[in-house]
């Protein structure tokens, strides 16, 4: 699955036939092709905000820095259009797009040794791009009205900083976020921001109506490596991976772990996505899932 709508009614997925891969949207029993690539190009890093689908195209599997960013308006008959270009292969972090209220963000290398990365904020309606910051920055996410990212100091200690998601102007962060020390991975939706700690053994989170930062989940007993990676959240559920795929319920604090390493649990939009394990990939609306029993 590439992306899922907030109500899980639309699923965006890749479909391969011969040497071609198509990005398609599935709504009920209807299927529509958005874009088709020829091998060895591939789709990745997709996001959907309810209207706009954004995604990356990798142009060569042997060079992860060779990519472009594209957007597609699901409410029109227009073809996808390009919004970002790294075909000069400037060294950049792994590409993920984040679409939110008609904007899209990604991080891209600058080629400057002292300001290695830039955070892009692109307006999809006006088709204008703005680099809101350059430096030792990574991991942009939309958190309600904010665009946040991790910024590293000389000691490689990270902190959150950010701007207004609507126009890129400076924004003051709540003390709980200013004082946090995120590392490697962060994820957010309208009301929750979550991140891994420095040794990747726990996930912390914050909401505006909480008195402070909470620990949501920790690595399963007996597992030291690998650490927690790729947390994804929506509503009251957060999916994450260490040795096994896991889902934690923010309301009860309980965690469900997949039965084996072959089963992958992830969250995209408003859907819990289940793949692997010898079963057909499926998407379950998060709103259909009852709370996990309290510990």
């Amino acid at each position: 699955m590439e992306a899922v709508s907030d109500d899980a009614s639309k699923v965006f997925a890749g479909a391969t036939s011969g040497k071609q891969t198509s990005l398609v949207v599935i709504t009920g029993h209807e299927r529509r092709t958005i874009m088709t690539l020829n091998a060895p190009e591939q789709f990745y890093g997709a996001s959907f905000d309810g209207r706009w689908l954004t995604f990356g195209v990798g142009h060569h599997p042997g060079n992860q820095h060779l990519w472009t960013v594209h957007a597609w308006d699901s409410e029109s008959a227009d073809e996808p259009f390009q919004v970002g270009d790294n075909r000069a292969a400037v060294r950049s972090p792994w590409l993920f797009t984040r679409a939110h209220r008609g904007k899209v963000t990604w991080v891209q290398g600058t080629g400057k040794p002292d300001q290695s990365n830039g955070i892009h904020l692109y307006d999809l309606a006006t088709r204008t791009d703005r680099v809101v910051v350059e430096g030792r920055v990574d991991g942009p996410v939309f958190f309600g009205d904010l665009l946040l990212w991790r910024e590293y100091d000389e000691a490689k200690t990270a902190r959150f900083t950010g701007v207004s998601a609507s126009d890129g102007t400076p924004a003051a962060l709540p003390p709980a976020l200013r004082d946090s020390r995120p590392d490697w991975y962060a994820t957010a939706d309208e009301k929750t921001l979550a991140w891994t700690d420095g040794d990747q053994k726990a996930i912390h989170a914050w909401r505006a109506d909480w008195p402070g930062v909470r620990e949501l989940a920790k690595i399963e007993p007996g597992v030291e490596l690998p650490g927690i990676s790729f947390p994804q959240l929506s509503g009251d559920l957060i999916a994450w991976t260490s040795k096994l795929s896991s889902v934690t319920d923010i309301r009860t604090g309980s965690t469900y772990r997949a039965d084996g390493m072959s089963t992958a649990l992830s969250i995209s939009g408003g859907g819990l996505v289940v793949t692997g394990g010898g079963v057909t990939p499926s998407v379950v609306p998060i709103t259909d899932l009852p709370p996990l029993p309290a510990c």
Side-chain angles (χ1 to χ4, degrees):
M1 307 294 175
E2 299 291 339
V4 180
S5 64
D6 284 345
D7 61 1
S9 64
K10 293 183 176 66
V11 175
F12 300 88
T16 301
S17 177
K19 295 184 178 182
Q20 290 187 324
T21 299
S22 295
L23 181 61
V24 302
V25 55
I26 302 168
T27 307
H29 297 291
E30 297 182 359
R31 171 171 151 167
R32 177 181 176 185
T33 298
I34 299 168
M35 187 176 183
T36 298
L37 301 176
N38 295 315
E41 294 180 322
Q42 57 185 329
F43 297 106
Y44 58 90
S47 181
F48 184 63
D49 73 353
R51 174 178 176 179
W52 295 95
L53 176 73
T54 60
F55 56 92
V57 172
H59 294 277
H60 195 286
N63 187 343
Q64 69 175 27
H65 306 295
L66 196 64
W67 46 256
T68 49
V69 183
H70 303 259
W72 177 70
D73 185 354
S74 66
E75 296 182 1
S76 79
D78 295 342
E79 297 295 317
F81 58 92
Q82 183 177 299
V83 303
D85 192 345
N86 202 53
R87 283 176 293 185
V90 176
R91 184 175 181 82
S92 299
W94 185 256
L95 175 68
F96 292 94
T97 67
R98 299 284 186 264
H100 177 76
R101 301 179 188 173
K103 305 291 194 297
V104 57
T105 187
W106 69 91
V107 60
Q108 186 169 344
T110 64
K112 304 173 184 178
D114 57 337
Q115 295 179 317
S116 55
N117 294 333
I119 303 295
H120 289 249
L121 178 61
Y122 188 101
D123 189 304
L124 293 161
T126 62
R127 301 196 182 189
T128 54
D129 187 21
R130 177 179 180 182
V131 178
V132 295
V133 66
E134 290 185 345
R136 297 184 180 93
V137 293
D138 196 4
V141 294
F142 288 110
F143 175 43
D145 295 329
L146 297 173
L147 169 61
L148 302 178
W149 59 83
R150 300 186 305 277
E151 186 165 335
Y152 295 86
D153 61 21
E154 294 288 348
K156 297 184 178 180
T157 299
R159 63 184 178 88
F160 282 119
T161 188
V163 295
S164 164
S166 61
D167 58 13
T169 56
L173 270 59
L177 300 187
R178 292 200 309 268
D179 297 339
S180 65
R181 292 295 179 263
D183 193 66
W184 288 105
Y185 300 102
T187 182
D189 65 4
E190 288 289 341
K191 66 177 182 177
T192 311
L193 175 69
W195 61 92
T196 56
D197 61 8
D199 59 8
Q200 293 180 256
K201 291 185 178 180
I203 298 175
H204 294 88
W206 182 79
R207 288 177 175 174
D209 59 350
W210 290 353
V213 172
R214 293 183 184 178
E215 181 182 272
L216 294 188
K218 62 178 62 177
I219 208 164
E220 54 264 45
V223 175
E224 294 298 323
L225 292 173
I228 293 172
S229 60
F230 301 112
Q232 305 157 316
L233 69 82
S234 180
D236 291 312
L237 296 182
I238 181 166
W240 50 280
T241 300
S242 56
K243 185 176 181 180
L244 300 173
S245 287
S246 303
V247 175
T248 296
D249 192 314
I250 297 173
R251 295 161 294 188
T252 64
S254 296
T255 295
Y256 170 82
R257 294 184 172 90
D259 293 335
M261 295 177 66
S262 63
T263 301
L265 305 173
S266 61
I267 288 174
S268 179
L272 175 66
V273 182
V274 183
T275 57
V279 299
T280 301
S282 59
V283 177
V284 181
I286 288 174
T287 53
D288 289 354
L289 298 172
L292 288 172
C295 299

